[in-house]
Amino acid sequence: MVTAPGSRRRHRETPRGGSALGGSSQPPPPRRTAPPVAAMGSPQRPPLAHVFRGTFVHSSPSAPMEILHGHLLGVDDSGTIVFLEQTDQQEQLAKKWGFKTSDIRELSNHEFFMPGMVDTHIHAPQYSFTGTRVDLPLLQWLTTYTFPTEAKYKDSDFAEEVYTRVVRRTLKNGTTTACYFATIYTDTSLLLAEIIDKFGQRAFVGKVCMDMNDSVPQYKESTADSVQETERFVKELLEKKYPRVQPVITPRFGPSCTEDLLCALGDLAQACDLHVQSHISENEEELKLVENMFPTYQNYTELYDKNKLLTSKTVMAHACYLSEEELKLFSLRGAAISHCPNSNFSLRSGVLNVQKVLKHNVKLGLGTDVAGGYSASMLDAIRKTMMASNSLQINKVNETGLTLEEAFQLATLGGSQALGLDDVIGNFEVGKEFDALLINTKASDSPFDLFSADNFEDTLQKFLYLGDDRNISEVYVAGKQVVPFSSSV
């Protein structure tokens, strides 16, 4: 069985018929118990990798945001959080875990830790034109800009430059986990995975599958080649044994794939127990195209479902126009949605009603959707999530909107749930891996100002609305500091 990135140390047995992925509908997995302490009080355990003291901000399934002032957090040498307690427990914790006061890293009062952000949908090859060319609707945008650009990724030198830059940029921006689309080219898709591993990001990487492309015919594969190359991609990536980078089956979207290809990819995902990603119901023209191409299916969701591509390991981007019936099927299958509001606005695709999706108990995370979305920052995704919610309220679609705290939850814990990693990352729960951002609200050249009247909540909101990578002073993945970048990368 293929395990999810970072879940190599999982010991929980999966009940028959259940899922080992975790998710909002399941009870939390049992956590590891601490190893025994020797009789004289000397701990029989390796020293901790980190002990931090200060403020921690995260989400739980029941609370969109928890602010924990005056806490101690310990991380062991495998990157796992072993305690998160109030500072009055310091003496007992020091005895139990064998650390000295001098081992504690004290945060200043304008610093705090938050969980790393999870980008549930990003196209690595499109990073080269991010911030440009958002002047056409989806299908014309693909034909005019995207397919011709992706066709250049046969060239490994070009691919290496762009892929290195997108991984560096997203990490600097606080994306500790990303779900990437690459291109149809297997070798440079494997190169993307290698670069991600080198920089220490956690990720899923998908070699794109498409056997139909009349508009740019040089950018497609035969059905047989697409399946064969996907099998090779999965096999070679798994053989690398990267600790936190895993393959994901990636049919581009309905209009790019024959039924035969979708069917074969569904079989492969099922046989190898793999994650799946694609796009669904992004814009109305695409919807009509799918209806005409696949008339025997009741709707777009059924096209994926009947071909075994809608599972508890699936994340679908956009989903702006799903019917109630389709949302019910998503919920039934445990499939997730990636909300990509920047792209939805920039390409004028639509507005996803996040609250409606959540009411149907469908897992949902946020995505940048570079380059339909013009920003590679998940902070931008939080802000555009708020704007999309506000627009639905303005247009009387919803009576109330999302709160900033809820958008923060979607960018962290929600993303981990959408990717089936919420037993490994997403918040600072003991037993999870320490994927975290150290935020400095008074960084030199910080893009916002603080005033003496600002309380912590004000400062936090200013960071979420106005902050950027200048405020993200350190980034950790599984306890390892990955930003600032080491000289070796």
Side-chain angles (χ1 to χ4, degrees), residues 14-34:
T14 310
R16 204 166 285 148
S19 159
L21 285 178
S24 51
S25 60
Q26 296 177 343
R31 295 295 172 207
R32 302 172 198 85
T33 54

Side-chain angles (χ1 to χ4, degrees), residues 72-104:
L72 280 162
L73 183 141
V75 181
D76 71 13
D77 64 346
S78 67
T80 302
I81 300 164
V82 292
F83 59 79
L84 176 59
E85 300 281 354
Q86 292 185 344
T87 47
D88 61 10
Q89 300 297 303
Q90 185 174 318
E91 210 176 306
Q92 295 92 309
L93 289 167
K95 202 175 284 183
K96 180 176 175 183
W97 293 97
F99 63 86
K100 304 185 289 293
T101 308
S102 58
D103 297 328
I104 299 171

Side-chain angles (χ1 to χ4, degrees), residues 206-220:
K207 174 220 156 308
V208 173
C209 299
M210 45 194 290
D211 61 350
M212 295 211 302
N213 191 358
D214 294 340
S215 57
V216 186
Q218 72 272 25
Y219 189 62
K220 69 172 181 185

